[in-house]
Amino acid sequence: MSQATGIAERLAWIGVDWGSSNLRAWAMADDGQVLARAGSERGMLALTPDDYEATLLATIGDWLPDDGRVPVRVCGMAGARQGWREAAYLPVPTRLDDLARGAVRPAVEDPRLDVALLPGLCQHPDDAGRRFDVMRGEETQLAGLAAREGEVSGPVCLPGTHAKWARLEAGAVTRFATFLTGELYGLLAGQSVLRHSLAHGPGEDELAEPGCREAFVAAVREVAAAPEAFSSRLFGLRAQDLLDGGLPTGQARGARLAARLSGLVIGLELAGARTVLAEGERVTLVGAETLCPRYALALEALGIDCRRLDGEAAVLAGLGLAHAALPHDAHTPDTRPEP
Amino acid sequence: MSQATGIAERLAWIGVDWGSSNLRAWAMADDGQVLARAGSERGMLALTPDDYEATLLATIGDWLPDDGRVPVRVCGMAGARQGWREAAYLPVPTRLDDLARGAVRPAVEDPRLDVALLPGLCQHPDDAGRRFDVMRGEETQLAGLAAREGEVSGPVCLPGTHAKWARLEAGAVTRFATFLTGELYGLLAGQSVLRHSLAHGPGEDELAEPGCREAFVAAVREVAAAPEAFSSRLFGLRAQDLLDGGLPTGQARGARLAARLSGLVIGLELAGARTVLAEGERVTLVGAETLCPRYALALEALGIDCRRLDGEAAVLAGLGLAHAALPHDAHTPDTRPEP
């Protein structure tokens, strides 16, 4: 018996997080156990609507049984207007156990696939200080948090290229804000005049090197106290590299300045996140082991308490919640289900 | 008589502003008249020290008389450590009529050239809130302002890729700050997720289109009032493009959002510039017709008065001041002159 056959026998449903630049898929048993993982670099930006079914089959086809139809529950950019088929944004406030009502079912040719795409969330401006904003994918991680903890309330941070801060009230998202943090860091470190002064790229953990945690924390505090100085602090990194005899030399110098740059962009985010974060509240960080410890350090520097939920655990719990809520119909028509 | 011959007869000295990516040169008469202009795309980043003399001769060789030695006064990145020869930064406070004391004379082979490279300014951290900072080229424009107006005091703004704000006190630079404004705009408009929402590049004047001045001014005010929201306002541009039914369509939509992005980055600069700008003071803008009107509009939106000095007039006056201060010796050795 092949591994794939073993999976097919226990397979209850498949979860997919389909982003702009890649997709991750999980074969799930009825009891919530992950039977297998798969992935592909074929994200939304690389695909036209006609490509999705073939890409999905190339990624998870081995898991499918010969007969029967398997529920595939998909969050992320596959549901964007430029994706497989649009699952229109639900406006906040939205209960996190209610995302399935915005799911759409794209037409598929393979009779073994029962695909539903989950919607993202949107926010329009109002008198309470909300601003235009959108998320696609993170709402499913938030739903996972709610699935695990029930009527959860409080601020949640999802670090990343476009970091999200959401405010939850009794299991609903009431407001959120997106920060360009990861993208800003990447552009500044890789393509601005600062690149000459940095020895580390975004993927490396310079904070493990001596003096770098202190440089990171100092930068977080500086920009949180004076966010208006952000742009001049950026150029100041270059000037410090040219003038500061107190910095180490070589690779250690570049690491120190990279830690400072990371602290500046994360510090700006934390300063701005105060619209969703009340005094004395504990922040829930949802994300990977790569970024969350850095955010925890930044929050600690500002005297803010936090805890962490693993990003994969969150998205699987959120997809599972949608799976439980969506009817599994072997002959579902190509229309959005009634609310 | 060729034009070049006519120039050579009246030529008193040559001014050069040699930046990272290009150089501009002026043939000057004794009375301050500009006899001719020339330029090249061969800036510091494209040159090694041995290339400078040949590049200079290729640009201004036609102006030189057959005999005699012509003073060539150079500001900008040619005096950087990675340039022709280093003219070490002078630390602030520095009197603007005293830049010539930091000039260095690179060795040249052509007997018709008497070249002096002017120094930049640097700033070290202190208890008065100064920060590491450097400038090369802008100090000569500031010197031009002082040459025209004497013991000038007050805040001066030089818009650009790395915009400078300097505080002058009785003809001296006492502190300054650099903002990454132009570079930040270029990276965000050209390479971030926002590029999908913008129809205009940095070189185009979208403010001429309907509704764009208003969008620019609103963005300046927003970020000046809440600089901590800068990073989320950036992503908000993308969200607004996806959600806002009130925006025009097509090219006009992209222009509106480009105006907003410009307002956000300039607004962040103005918020941060308040360290060199006291309440009620008038700002002197030194720069080109392309950027200064935009800055004037932004300043006006914040209730700050300003006036403008043309950037070319400023750099020529500053180079002229250095020319008057530096001895013209046909046999100057290759060493820095005594202070």
Side-chain angles (χ1 to χ4, degrees):
Chain A
M1 185 192 287
S2 76
Q3 194 203 358
T5 315
I7 291 166
E9 286 179 355
R10 296 186 58 204
L11 185 70
W13 62 284
I14 291 169
V16 180
D17 184 357
W18 207 319
S20 295
S21 52
N22 60 46
L23 76 100
R24 294 178 301 157
W26 298 268
M28 304 298 296
D30 249 336
D31 61 1
Q33 191 192 335
V34 178
L35 301 172
R37 291 174 168 80
S40 158
E41 298 302 306
R42 303 201 70 201
M44 182 267 281
L45 294 174
L47 300 173
T48 68
D50 289 344
D51 300 328
Y52 280 83
E53 183 175 349
T55 303
L56 184 63
L57 286 169
T59 309
I60 57 95
D62 283 352
W63 299 343
L64 299 177
D66 294 335
D67 48 17
R69 201 165 198 174
V70 177
V72 181
R73 303 302 175 232
V74 182
C75 69
M77 298 301 286
R81 193 172 303 168
Q82 317 91 314
W84 190 346
R85 187 180 153 197
E86 185 178 10
Y89 296 112
L90 300 178
V92 294
T94 291
R95 284 193 59 83
L96 287 163
D97 54 12
D98 203 24
L99 295 178
R101 103 179 127 87
V104 302
R105 295 175 186 264
V108 289
E109 292 182 3
D110 192 307
R112 298 171 300 169
L113 296 174
D114 160 26
V115 179
L117 309 176
L118 296 178
L121 299 182
C122 68
Q123 178 175 274
H124 284 78
D126 66 13
D127 292 344
R130 288 180 183 81
R131 296 271 170 173
F132 284 119
D133 217 323
V134 291
M135 64 167 75
R136 269 203 192 275
E138 296 88 352
E139 73 296 324
T140 303
Q141 297 187 55
L142 294 171
L145 176 65
R148 293 163 69 105
E149 306 191 1
E151 301 285 282
V152 60
S153 294
V156 183
C157 168
L158 301 103
T161 305
H162 299 155
K164 307 284 178 184
W165 280 76
R167 178 142 205 98
L168 307 188
E169 302 288 352
V173 180
T174 56
R175 65 191 300 159
F176 66 99
T178 305
F179 297 82
L180 216 63
T181 308
E183 185 158 18
L184 212 43
Y185 182 90
L187 289 171
L188 290 166
Q191 302 192 55
S192 80
V193 67
L194 306 185
R195 71 186 186 279
H196 304 299
S197 296
L198 306 181
H200 282 243
E204 300 171 62
D205 184 13
E206 78 286 358
L207 294 195
E209 300 192 25
C212 283
R213 284 172 68 92
E214 294 78 1
F216 172 83
V217 162
V220 167
R221 289 194 175 126
E222 264 177 53
V223 81
E228 71 278 6
F230 177 72
S231 174
S232 62
R233 292 289 183 279
L234 292 179
F235 187 82
L237 275 173
R238 179 72 185 139
Q240 187 181 3
D241 186 26
L242 295 171
L243 299 176
D244 189 357
L247 282 177
T249 55
Q251 184 85 353
R253 188 184 191 90
R256 191 75 65 85
L257 292 169
R260 183 165 164 76
L261 177 59
S262 177
L264 291 177
V265 294
I266 291 177
L268 184 65
E269 177 184 329
L270 299 192
R274 298 203 180 150
T275 55
V276 294
L277 171 64
E279 190 75 29
E281 283 188 319
R282 184 172 67 158
V283 173
T284 302
L285 291 171
V286 178
E289 187 57 44
T290 47
L291 269 178
C292 284
R294 190 174 289 246
Y295 271 68
L297 183 60
L299 287 165
E300 187 194 338
L302 301 182
I304 300 168
D305 193 21
C306 70
R307 60 168 182 154
R308 176 175 165 242
L309 172 62
D310 178 66
E312 184 184 90
V315 76
L316 284 177
L319 289 166
L321 193 69
H323 168 59
L326 283 168
H328 172 38
D329 183 347
H331 305 283
T332 309
D334 180 15
T335 58
R336 187 192 297 200
E338 294 300 311
Chain B
M1 186 192 286
S2 75
Q3 192 204 1
T5 315
I7 291 167
E9 285 178 356
R10 295 185 58 203
L11 184 70
W13 61 284
I14 292 169
V16 180
D17 185 355
W18 207 319
S20 295
S21 52
N22 59 47
L23 75 101
R24 295 178 302 157
W26 299 269
M28 304 299 295
D30 249 337
D31 61 1
Q33 191 193 337
V34 177
L35 302 172
R37 290 174 170 80
S40 158
E41 299 302 305
R42 304 200 70 201
M44 181 267 280
L45 294 174
L47 300 172
T48 67
D50 288 345
D51 299 328
Y52 280 84
E53 184 174 351
T55 302
L56 184 64
L57 285 169
T59 309
I60 57 94
D62 282 354
W63 298 343
L64 299 176
D66 294 334
D67 49 17
R69 199 164 200 175
V70 177
V72 181
R73 303 301 176 234
V74 183
C75 69
M77 296 303 285
R81 195 172 303 167
Q82 317 90 313
W84 191 347
R85 188 180 152 195
E86 185 178 11
Y89 295 112
L90 300 178
V92 293
T94 291
R95 283 193 61 83
L96 287 162
D97 55 11
D98 204 23
L99 295 178
R101 104 180 123 86
V104 301
R105 296 174 185 264
V108 289
E109 291 183 2
D110 192 307
R112 297 171 300 169
L113 296 174
D114 160 28
V115 178
L117 309 177
L118 296 178
L121 298 182
C122 68
Q123 178 175 275
H124 285 78
D126 66 13
D127 293 342
R130 289 180 183 83
R131 295 270 172 175
F132 284 119
D133 217 323
V134 292
M135 65 168 72
R136 269 205 191 273
E138 296 89 352
E139 73 296 325
T140 304
Q141 295 188 55
L142 294 171
L145 176 65
R148 293 163 69 107
E149 306 192 0
E151 301 286 283
V152 61
S153 294
V156 184
C157 168
L158 302 104
T161 305
H162 298 156
K164 307 283 178 185
W165 280 76
R167 178 141 205 98
L168 307 188
E169 301 290 351
V173 180
T174 56
R175 65 191 300 160
F176 65 100
T178 304
F179 297 82
L180 215 63
T181 307
E183 184 158 20
L184 213 44
Y185 182 90
L187 289 171
L188 290 166
Q191 303 192 55
S192 81
V193 68
L194 307 184
R195 71 186 185 279
H196 305 297
S197 296
L198 306 180
H200 282 243
E204 299 171 62
D205 184 14
E206 78 286 357
L207 293 194
E209 299 190 26
C212 285
R213 284 172 67 93
E214 294 77 3
F216 172 83
V217 162
V220 167
R221 289 194 175 125
E222 263 177 53
V223 81
E228 70 279 6
F230 177 72
S231 174
S232 62
R233 292 289 183 280
L234 293 179
F235 188 82
L237 275 173
R238 179 72 185 140
Q240 187 181 3
D241 186 25
L242 295 171
L243 299 176
D244 189 358
L247 282 177
T249 55
Q251 183 85 354
R253 187 183 192 88
R256 193 74 65 83
L257 292 170
R260 182 162 164 79
L261 177 60
S262 176
L264 291 178
V265 294
I266 292 176
L268 183 66
E269 175 183 331
L270 299 192
R274 297 197 181 155
T275 54
V276 295
L277 172 64
E279 190 74 30
E281 282 188 319
R282 183 171 69 158
V283 173
T284 302
L285 291 171
V286 178
E289 188 57 43
T290 47
L291 269 178
C292 284
R294 190 173 289 247
Y295 270 69
L297 184 60
L299 287 164
E300 187 193 339
L302 302 183
I304 301 169
D305 192 22
C306 70
R307 60 169 182 154
R308 175 173 167 245
L309 172 61
D310 178 67
E312 184 183 270
V315 75
L316 284 176
L319 289 167
L321 193 69
H323 167 59
L326 284 168
H328 172 39
D329 183 345
H331 305 284
T332 308
D334 179 16
T335 58
R336 187 193 296 198
E338 293 301 312

